[in-house]
Amino acid sequence: MESIELRVRARRAYELGRARLGAKAGAAALLIAAAAVALGRPLDLMALLSAALAVLAAALAFRGGAAGRAVWAGLLAGSGAMLLPLAIMTAGCRMFGPACMRYCLPACVVGGCAMGAAVAILARRQEQGAGEFLAAGALVAALTASLGCTLAGTAGVLGMALGTVLAGTPVWLAARAQR
């Protein structure tokens, strides 16, 4: 075999591996969205959000680097934040009656805070591309969490985003100061 043919085959195998990794990330995003639908979220809204999440997760994973590493952290952190308001709605409505929706907005903010801190802690551990990891991880996590935070409407999504920034920024700045 000639060296040019070996290079072509190696490049093809490399790109195929990246495409497989992207497909796995996209499929994981769709699985999370299916869980949100199974927990009672409206199908039309979830279809739009999950399509955006799946494309973003697949593209970032295919791209690789720090952004590709952040996809799985973002999906995991966002899933926890997504489930918090859904759990309150599911269990809380039985305990608190019709006024249970007032707990969903604080749950979105708390979920966003936990998510922002988790992604920032993981980002500060990155030796290269920590800023890229933080941005990609926060974006994937925010989109994942929005699958559950839409329960409280636009205010829930904005509260989750605000919580992410409020909790993630101090952790990120403290990590930058230590370096």
Side-chain angles (χ1 to χ4, degrees):
M1 247 184 238
E2 293 186 33
S3 69
I4 293 175
E5 185 180 338
L6 283 174
R7 284 184 190 166
V8 168
R9 291 178 75 189
R11 181 70 178 186
R12 188 177 311 130
Y14 172 73
E15 294 297 334
L16 183 59
R18 288 174 54 160
R20 284 184 183 144
L21 188 60
K24 287 178 185 178
L30 291 176
L31 185 62
I32 292 167
V37 170
L39 291 170
R41 299 305 303 134
L43 185 59
D44 55 344
L45 180 60
M46 291 301 102
L48 178 67
L49 290 173
S50 62
L53 177 61
V55 168
L56 177 66
L60 289 175
F62 178 81
R63 182 177 179 271
R69 291 189 305 272
V71 168
W72 297 103
L75 287 173
L76 184 61
S79 294
M82 174 195 80
L83 292 174
L84 191 56
L86 291 173
I88 287 176
M89 182 197 75
T90 303
C93 285
R94 292 189 190 115
M95 293 185 284
F96 304 118
C100 75
M101 289 302 285
R102 69 178 170 189
Y103 296 104
C104 288
L105 181 59
C108 290
V109 174
V110 168
C113 286
M115 178 179 70
V119 172
I121 287 169
L122 291 173
R124 78 176 192 186
R125 294 182 181 168
Q126 299 298 309
E127 302 224 356
Q128 292 180 344
E132 181 182 353
F133 185 97
L134 180 65
L139 185 60
V140 169
L143 196 52
T144 304
S146 71
L147 297 174
C149 287
T150 56
L151 188 63
T154 305
V157 175
L158 292 175
M160 179 269 309
L162 182 64
T164 302
V165 171
L166 289 176
T169 301
V171 172
W172 175 252
L173 292 175
R176 299 280 296 175
Q178 289 177 357
R179 285 188 180 192

